[in-house]
Amino acid sequence: MIKPEKPLPEIIAETFPNEDSATVLEILNLYGTETYERDQEWVQRAILKLCHRSNVDELLNLVAAAKTDYRDVLYWLELESQRNDKA
């Protein structure tokens, strides 16, 4: 059975427990403002999975990378997943 994904606000609260969720969402929403920035929620979820707990600088860097080429962020998530599978 496929496990349903958590809502984005819940993931934000878990990943950034000491930050204002609205501020984190505002930063995440910087991705997806241009027509060529595709699959906004998918990329935002990937960014959150790559972020280390409460590291806003890392969040900003990942959003900037996604705005340049979102495929990089998806690739990095896949690499991390493969590393975790091997561990």
Side-chain angles (χ1 to χ4, degrees):
M1 183 172 172
I2 297 174
K3 187 170 99 176
E5 293 199 43
K6 293 180 185 178
L8 202 56
E10 190 175 328
I11 299 169
I12 291 170
E14 289 174 1
T15 308
F16 292 91
N18 300 319
E19 300 293 334
D20 177 54
S21 293
T23 301
V24 173
L25 184 58
E26 188 176 318
I27 293 169
L28 280 172
N29 282 335
L30 293 172
Y31 177 81
T33 58
E34 302 294 335
T35 56
Y36 56 83
E37 295 173 354
R38 308 177 95 189
D39 301 312
Q40 183 182 29
E41 187 173 344
W42 186 29
V43 174
Q44 288 175 338
R45 287 175 180 276
I47 288 169
L48 288 172
K49 288 177 183 176
L50 288 168
C51 274
H52 295 103
R53 191 165 291 275
S54 295
N55 190 334
V56 175
D57 289 334
E58 185 174 20
L59 174 66
L60 288 165
N61 289 334
L62 287 166
V63 168
K67 288 183 77 62
T68 300
D69 191 338
Y70 74 98
R71 296 170 297 179
D72 288 339
V73 172
L74 299 177
Y75 176 70
W76 297 332
L77 182 61
E78 180 62 28
L79 282 179
E80 187 171 292
S81 176
Q82 287 177 5
R83 277 188 220 124
N84 291 339
D85 288 346
K86 290 181 182 179

